[in-house]
PDB file of all heavy atoms in Angstrom:
ATOM      1  N   SER A 650      -1.836  -9.239   5.528  1.00 98.00           N
ATOM      2  CA  SER A 650      -2.720  -9.128   4.384  1.00 98.00           C
ATOM      3  C   SER A 650      -2.040  -8.337   3.282  1.00 98.00           C
ATOM      4  O   SER A 650      -1.247  -7.442   3.548  1.00 98.00           O
ATOM      5  CB  SER A 650      -4.029  -8.429   4.766  1.00 98.00           C
ATOM      6  OG  SER A 650      -4.733  -9.152   5.749  1.00 98.00           O
ATOM      7  N   CYS A 651      -2.365  -8.666   2.038  1.00 97.00           N
ATOM      8  CA  CYS A 651      -1.866  -7.938   0.877  1.00 97.00           C
ATOM      9  C   CYS A 651      -3.033  -7.698  -0.058  1.00 97.00           C
ATOM     10  O   CYS A 651      -3.558  -8.647  -0.650  1.00 97.00           O
ATOM     11  CB  CYS A 651      -0.758  -8.728   0.176  1.00 97.00           C
ATOM     12  SG  CYS A 651      -0.200  -7.995  -1.377  1.00 97.00           S
ATOM     13  N   ALA A 652      -3.445  -6.452  -0.186  1.00 95.00           N
ATOM     14  CA  ALA A 652      -4.552  -6.078  -1.053  1.00 95.00           C
ATOM     15  C   ALA A 652      -4.027  -5.613  -2.404  1.00 95.00           C
ATOM     16  O   ALA A 652      -3.145  -4.759  -2.469  1.00 95.00           O
ATOM     17  CB  ALA A 652      -5.384  -4.979  -0.403  1.00 95.00           C
ATOM     18  N   ALA A 653      -4.580  -6.171  -3.483  1.00 93.00           N
ATOM     19  CA  ALA A 653      -4.142  -5.859  -4.838  1.00 93.00           C
ATOM     20  C   ALA A 653      -5.189  -5.041  -5.572  1.00 93.00           C
ATOM     21  O   ALA A 653      -6.391  -5.210  -5.367  1.00 93.00           O
ATOM     22  CB  ALA A 653      -3.851  -7.143  -5.614  1.00 93.00           C
ATOM     23  N   SER A 654      -4.717  -4.162  -6.464  1.00 92.00           N
ATOM     24  CA  SER A 654      -5.608  -3.384  -7.313  1.00 92.00           C
ATOM     25  C   SER A 654      -4.929  -3.122  -8.650  1.00 92.00           C
ATOM     26  O   SER A 654      -3.698  -3.176  -8.753  1.00 92.00           O
ATOM     27  CB  SER A 654      -5.994  -2.059  -6.652  1.00 92.00           C
ATOM     28  OG  SER A 654      -4.855  -1.244  -6.436  1.00 92.00           O
ATOM     29  N   GLY A 655      -5.728  -2.861  -9.693  1.00 86.00           N
ATOM     30  CA  GLY A 655      -5.189  -2.499 -10.990  1.00 86.00           C
ATOM     31  C   GLY A 655      -4.899  -3.652 -11.936  1.00 86.00           C
ATOM     32  O   GLY A 655      -4.352  -3.436 -13.010  1.00 86.00           O
ATOM     33  N   GLY A 656      -5.252  -4.880 -11.569  1.00 78.00           N
ATOM     34  CA  GLY A 656      -5.018  -6.039 -12.406  1.00 78.00           C
ATOM     35  C   GLY A 656      -6.066  -7.117 -12.186  1.00 78.00           C
ATOM     36  O   GLY A 656      -7.011  -6.928 -11.428  1.00 78.00           O
ATOM     37  N   THR A 657      -5.878  -8.238 -12.861  1.00 78.00           N
ATOM     38  CA  THR A 657      -6.765  -9.383 -12.697  1.00 78.00           C
ATOM     39  C   THR A 657      -6.152 -10.317 -11.672  1.00 78.00           C
ATOM     40  O   THR A 657      -5.319 -11.169 -11.990  1.00 78.00           O
ATOM     41  CB  THR A 657      -6.989 -10.100 -14.032  1.00 78.00           C
ATOM     42  OG1 THR A 657      -7.460  -9.165 -15.008  1.00 78.00           O
ATOM     43  CG2 THR A 657      -8.022 -11.207 -13.862  1.00 78.00           C
ATOM     44  N   PHE A 658      -6.579 -10.171 -10.428  1.00 79.00           N
ATOM     45  CA  PHE A 658      -5.944 -10.852  -9.306  1.00 79.00           C
ATOM     46  C   PHE A 658      -5.948 -12.367  -9.455  1.00 79.00           C
ATOM     47  O   PHE A 658      -4.973 -13.040  -9.107  1.00 79.00           O
ATOM     48  CB  PHE A 658      -6.640 -10.443  -8.005  1.00 79.00           C
ATOM     49  CG  PHE A 658      -6.078 -11.082  -6.779  1.00 79.00           C
ATOM     50  CD1 PHE A 658      -4.932 -10.585  -6.184  1.00 79.00           C
ATOM     51  CD2 PHE A 658      -6.703 -12.176  -6.203  1.00 79.00           C
ATOM     52  CE1 PHE A 658      -4.409 -11.163  -5.040  1.00 79.00           C
ATOM     53  CE2 PHE A 658      -6.191 -12.769  -5.056  1.00 79.00           C
ATOM     54  CZ  PHE A 658      -5.040 -12.253  -4.477  1.00 79.00           C
ATOM     55  N   SER A 659      -7.029 -12.922  -9.974  1.00 78.00           N
ATOM     56  CA  SER A 659      -7.172 -14.372 -10.029  1.00 78.00           C
ATOM     57  C   SER A 659      -6.175 -15.044 -10.967  1.00 78.00           C
ATOM     58  O   SER A 659      -5.998 -16.265 -10.893  1.00 78.00           O
ATOM     59  CB  SER A 659      -8.599 -14.755 -10.436  1.00 78.00           C
ATOM     60  OG  SER A 659      -8.910 -14.269 -11.732  1.00 78.00           O
ATOM     61  N   THR A 660      -5.505 -14.296 -11.839  1.00 85.00           N
ATOM     62  CA  THR A 660      -4.533 -14.864 -12.771  1.00 85.00           C
ATOM     63  C   THR A 660      -3.100 -14.791 -12.254  1.00 85.00           C
ATOM     64  O   THR A 660      -2.186 -15.286 -12.913  1.00 85.00           O
ATOM     65  CB  THR A 660      -4.582 -14.160 -14.136  1.00 85.00           C
ATOM     66  OG1 THR A 660      -4.115 -12.810 -14.004  1.00 85.00           O
ATOM     67  CG2 THR A 660      -6.002 -14.160 -14.687  1.00 85.00           C
ATOM     68  N   TYR A 661      -2.885 -14.183 -11.096  1.00 89.00           N
ATOM     69  CA  TYR A 661      -1.536 -13.986 -10.576  1.00 89.00           C
ATOM     70  C   TYR A 661      -1.101 -15.098  -9.640  1.00 89.00           C
ATOM     71  O   TYR A 661      -1.887 -15.606  -8.838  1.00 89.00           O
ATOM     72  CB  TYR A 661      -1.439 -12.677  -9.781  1.00 89.00           C
ATOM     73  CG  TYR A 661      -1.667 -11.421 -10.576  1.00 89.00           C
ATOM     74  CD1 TYR A 661      -2.255 -10.307  -9.966  1.00 89.00           C
ATOM     75  CD2 TYR A 661      -1.295 -11.324 -11.905  1.00 89.00           C
ATOM     76  CE1 TYR A 661      -2.461  -9.140 -10.674  1.00 89.00           C
ATOM     77  CE2 TYR A 661      -1.506 -10.164 -12.620  1.00 89.00           C
ATOM     78  CZ  TYR A 661      -2.087  -9.072 -11.999  1.00 89.00           C
ATOM     79  OH  TYR A 661      -2.293  -7.917 -12.707  1.00 89.00           O
ATOM     80  N   THR A 662       0.177 -15.464  -9.742  1.00 91.00           N
ATOM     81  CA  THR A 662       0.828 -16.143  -8.637  1.00 91.00           C
ATOM     82  C   THR A 662       1.185 -15.082  -7.599  1.00 91.00           C
ATOM     83  O   THR A 662       1.741 -14.040  -7.937  1.00 91.00           O
ATOM     84  CB  THR A 662       2.096 -16.871  -9.104  1.00 91.00           C
ATOM     85  OG1 THR A 662       1.730 -17.963  -9.940  1.00 91.00           O
ATOM     86  CG2 THR A 662       2.893 -17.399  -7.916  1.00 91.00           C
ATOM     87  N   MET A 663       0.846 -15.334  -6.343  1.00 94.00           N
ATOM     88  CA  MET A 663       1.103 -14.390  -5.262  1.00 94.00           C
ATOM     89  C   MET A 663       2.115 -14.991  -4.300  1.00 94.00           C
ATOM     90  O   MET A 663       2.058 -16.182  -3.994  1.00 94.00           O
ATOM     91  CB  MET A 663      -0.186 -14.062  -4.514  1.00 94.00           C
ATOM     92  CG  MET A 663      -1.296 -13.502  -5.387  1.00 94.00           C
ATOM     93  SD  MET A 663      -0.893 -11.867  -6.068  1.00 94.00           S
ATOM     94  CE  MET A 663      -0.745 -10.902  -4.558  1.00 94.00           C
ATOM     95  N   ALA A 664       3.019 -14.156  -3.800  1.00 96.00           N
ATOM     96  CA  ALA A 664       4.091 -14.649  -2.953  1.00 96.00           C
ATOM     97  C   ALA A 664       4.402 -13.678  -1.827  1.00 96.00           C
ATOM     98  O   ALA A 664       4.072 -12.492  -1.894  1.00 96.00           O
ATOM     99  CB  ALA A 664       5.354 -14.903  -3.776  1.00 96.00           C
ATOM    100  N   TRP A 665       5.042 -14.215  -0.797  1.00 98.00           N
ATOM    101  CA  TRP A 665       5.584 -13.421   0.301  1.00 98.00           C
ATOM    102  C   TRP A 665       7.090 -13.627   0.371  1.00 98.00           C
ATOM    103  O   TRP A 665       7.572 -14.764   0.304  1.00 98.00           O
ATOM    104  CB  TRP A 665       4.960 -13.797   1.644  1.00 98.00           C
ATOM    105  CG  TRP A 665       3.533 -13.385   1.799  1.00 98.00           C
ATOM    106  CD1 TRP A 665       2.434 -14.132   1.556  1.00 98.00           C
ATOM    107  CD2 TRP A 665       3.069 -12.112   2.256  1.00 98.00           C
ATOM    108  NE1 TRP A 665       1.301 -13.418   1.825  1.00 98.00           N
ATOM    109  CE2 TRP A 665       1.652 -12.169   2.251  1.00 98.00           C
ATOM    110  CE3 TRP A 665       3.692 -10.937   2.661  1.00 98.00           C
ATOM    111  CZ2 TRP A 665       0.861 -11.089   2.644  1.00 98.00           C
ATOM    112  CZ3 TRP A 665       2.902  -9.862   3.044  1.00 98.00           C
ATOM    113  CH2 TRP A 665       1.513  -9.945   3.037  1.00 98.00           C
ATOM    114  N   PHE A 666       7.821 -12.529   0.495  1.00 98.00           N
ATOM    115  CA  PHE A 666       9.248 -12.524   0.753  1.00 98.00           C
ATOM    116  C   PHE A 666       9.501 -11.730   2.029  1.00 98.00           C
ATOM    117  O   PHE A 666       8.631 -10.990   2.497  1.00 98.00           O
ATOM    118  CB  PHE A 666      10.022 -11.895  -0.411  1.00 98.00           C
ATOM    119  CG  PHE A 666       9.972 -12.689  -1.689  1.00 98.00           C
ATOM    120  CD1 PHE A 666       8.872 -12.625  -2.522  1.00 98.00           C
ATOM    121  CD2 PHE A 666      11.038 -13.502  -2.051  1.00 98.00           C
ATOM    122  CE1 PHE A 666       8.817 -13.352  -3.695  1.00 98.00           C
ATOM    123  CE2 PHE A 666      10.999 -14.237  -3.230  1.00 98.00           C
ATOM    124  CZ  PHE A 666       9.887 -14.160  -4.049  1.00 98.00           C
ATOM    125  N   ARG A 667      10.693 -11.874   2.596  1.00 98.00           N
ATOM    126  CA  ARG A 667      11.045 -11.085   3.770  1.00 98.00           C
ATOM    127  C   ARG A 667      12.517 -10.698   3.714  1.00 98.00           C
ATOM    128  O   ARG A 667      13.328 -11.367   3.079  1.00 98.00           O
ATOM    129  CB  ARG A 667      10.743 -11.837   5.069  1.00 98.00           C
ATOM    130  CG  ARG A 667      11.593 -13.075   5.309  1.00 98.00           C
ATOM    131  CD  ARG A 667      11.097 -13.828   6.533  1.00 98.00           C
ATOM    132  NE  ARG A 667      11.921 -14.984   6.847  1.00 98.00           N
ATOM    133  CZ  ARG A 667      11.645 -15.863   7.797  1.00 98.00           C
ATOM    134  NH1 ARG A 667      10.543 -15.724   8.540  1.00 98.00           N
ATOM    135  NH2 ARG A 667      12.462 -16.886   8.014  1.00 98.00           N
ATOM    136  N   GLN A 668      12.846  -9.606   4.395  1.00 97.00           N
ATOM    137  CA  GLN A 668      14.214  -9.120   4.434  1.00 97.00           C
ATOM    138  C   GLN A 668      14.521  -8.606   5.827  1.00 97.00           C
ATOM    139  O   GLN A 668      13.933  -7.618   6.277  1.00 97.00           O
ATOM    140  CB  GLN A 668      14.443  -8.018   3.398  1.00 97.00           C
ATOM    141  CG  GLN A 668      15.887  -7.576   3.281  1.00 97.00           C
ATOM    142  CD  GLN A 668      16.130  -6.714   2.056  1.00 97.00           C
ATOM    143  OE1 GLN A 668      15.199  -6.147   1.494  1.00 97.00           O
ATOM    144  NE2 GLN A 668      17.371  -6.622   1.638  1.00 97.00           N
ATOM    145  N   ALA A 669      15.439  -9.283   6.503  1.00 97.00           N
ATOM    146  CA  ALA A 669      15.901  -8.848   7.808  1.00 97.00           C
ATOM    147  C   ALA A 669      16.973  -7.781   7.641  1.00 97.00           C
ATOM    148  O   ALA A 669      17.624  -7.691   6.602  1.00 97.00           O
ATOM    149  CB  ALA A 669      16.451 -10.028   8.603  1.00 97.00           C
ATOM    150  N   ALA A 670      17.162  -6.970   8.674  1.00 96.00           N
ATOM    151  CA  ALA A 670      18.146  -5.894   8.624  1.00 96.00           C
ATOM    152  C   ALA A 670      19.530  -6.439   8.308  1.00 96.00           C
ATOM    153  O   ALA A 670      20.000  -7.370   8.960  1.00 96.00           O
ATOM    154  CB  ALA A 670      18.162  -5.143   9.947  1.00 96.00           C
ATOM    155  N   GLY A 671      20.164  -5.871   7.289  1.00 96.00           N
ATOM    156  CA  GLY A 671      21.508  -6.269   6.912  1.00 96.00           C
ATOM    157  C   GLY A 671      21.609  -7.561   6.131  1.00 96.00           C
ATOM    158  O   GLY A 671      22.717  -8.022   5.860  1.00 96.00           O
ATOM    159  N   LYS A 672      20.480  -8.161   5.758  1.00 96.00           N
ATOM    160  CA  LYS A 672      20.485  -9.428   5.035  1.00 96.00           C
ATOM    161  C   LYS A 672      19.754  -9.291   3.696  1.00 96.00           C
ATOM    162  O   LYS A 672      19.042  -8.322   3.456  1.00 96.00           O
ATOM    163  CB  LYS A 672      19.836 -10.531   5.870  1.00 96.00           C
ATOM    164  CG  LYS A 672      20.567 -10.840   7.161  1.00 96.00           C
ATOM    165  CD  LYS A 672      19.928 -12.007   7.894  1.00 96.00           C
ATOM    166  CE  LYS A 672      20.687 -12.354   9.158  1.00 96.00           C
ATOM    167  NZ  LYS A 672      20.076 -13.500   9.877  1.00 96.00           N
ATOM    168  N   GLU A 673      19.954 -10.291   2.828  1.00 94.00           N
ATOM    169  CA  GLU A 673      19.293 -10.298   1.531  1.00 94.00           C
ATOM    170  C   GLU A 673      17.839 -10.716   1.663  1.00 94.00           C
ATOM    171  O   GLU A 673      17.444 -11.394   2.612  1.00 94.00           O
ATOM    172  CB  GLU A 673      20.020 -11.246   0.572  1.00 94.00           C
ATOM    173  CG  GLU A 673      21.432 -10.823   0.221  1.00 94.00           C
ATOM    174  CD  GLU A 673      22.073 -11.745  -0.792  1.00 94.00           C
ATOM    175  OE1 GLU A 673      21.488 -12.800  -1.100  1.00 94.00           O
ATOM    176  OE2 GLU A 673      23.159 -11.403  -1.288  1.00 94.00           O
ATOM    177  N   ARG A 674      17.038 -10.304   0.685  1.00 94.00           N
ATOM    178  CA  ARG A 674      15.648 -10.702   0.656  1.00 94.00           C
ATOM    179  C   ARG A 674      15.541 -12.204   0.422  1.00 94.00           C
ATOM    180  O   ARG A 674      16.229 -12.763  -0.430  1.00 94.00           O
ATOM    181  CB  ARG A 674      14.915  -9.932  -0.442  1.00 94.00           C
ATOM    182  CG  ARG A 674      13.412 -10.114  -0.449  1.00 94.00           C
ATOM    183  CD  ARG A 674      12.746  -9.076  -1.343  1.00 94.00           C
ATOM    184  NE  ARG A 674      13.023  -7.718  -0.884  1.00 94.00           N
ATOM    185  CZ  ARG A 674      12.490  -6.627  -1.421  1.00 94.00           C
ATOM    186  NH1 ARG A 674      11.650  -6.731  -2.433  1.00 94.00           N
ATOM    187  NH2 ARG A 674      12.815  -5.428  -0.936  1.00 94.00           N
ATOM    188  N   GLU A 675      14.660 -12.869   1.178  1.00 96.00           N
ATOM    189  CA  GLU A 675      14.508 -14.304   1.052  1.00 96.00           C
ATOM    190  C   GLU A 675      13.049 -14.691   0.834  1.00 96.00           C
ATOM    191  O   GLU A 675      12.120 -14.025   1.291  1.00 96.00           O
ATOM    192  CB  GLU A 675      15.064 -15.029   2.283  1.00 96.00           C
ATOM    193  CG  GLU A 675      14.300 -14.780   3.566  1.00 96.00           C
ATOM    194  CD  GLU A 675      14.801 -15.620   4.725  1.00 96.00           C
ATOM    195  OE1 GLU A 675      15.598 -16.551   4.501  1.00 96.00           O
ATOM    196  OE2 GLU A 675      14.391 -15.336   5.873  1.00 96.00           O
TER     197      GLU A 675
END
């Protein structure tokens, strides 16, 4: 889950990224 505050959530594109140890964020 990702909870947002401080903005207008419905206008945002929301995304998930991940980063394994020793690797670049993907």
Side-chain angles (χ1 to χ4, degrees):
S650 299
C651 174
S654 62
T657 305
F658 180 81
S659 62
T660 68
Y661 296 148
T662 292
M663 303 294 297
W665 290 95
F666 293 80
R667 67 187 183 186
Q668 186 168 20
K672 297 184 178 180
E673 295 184 351
R674 188 167 300 185
E675 67 174 349

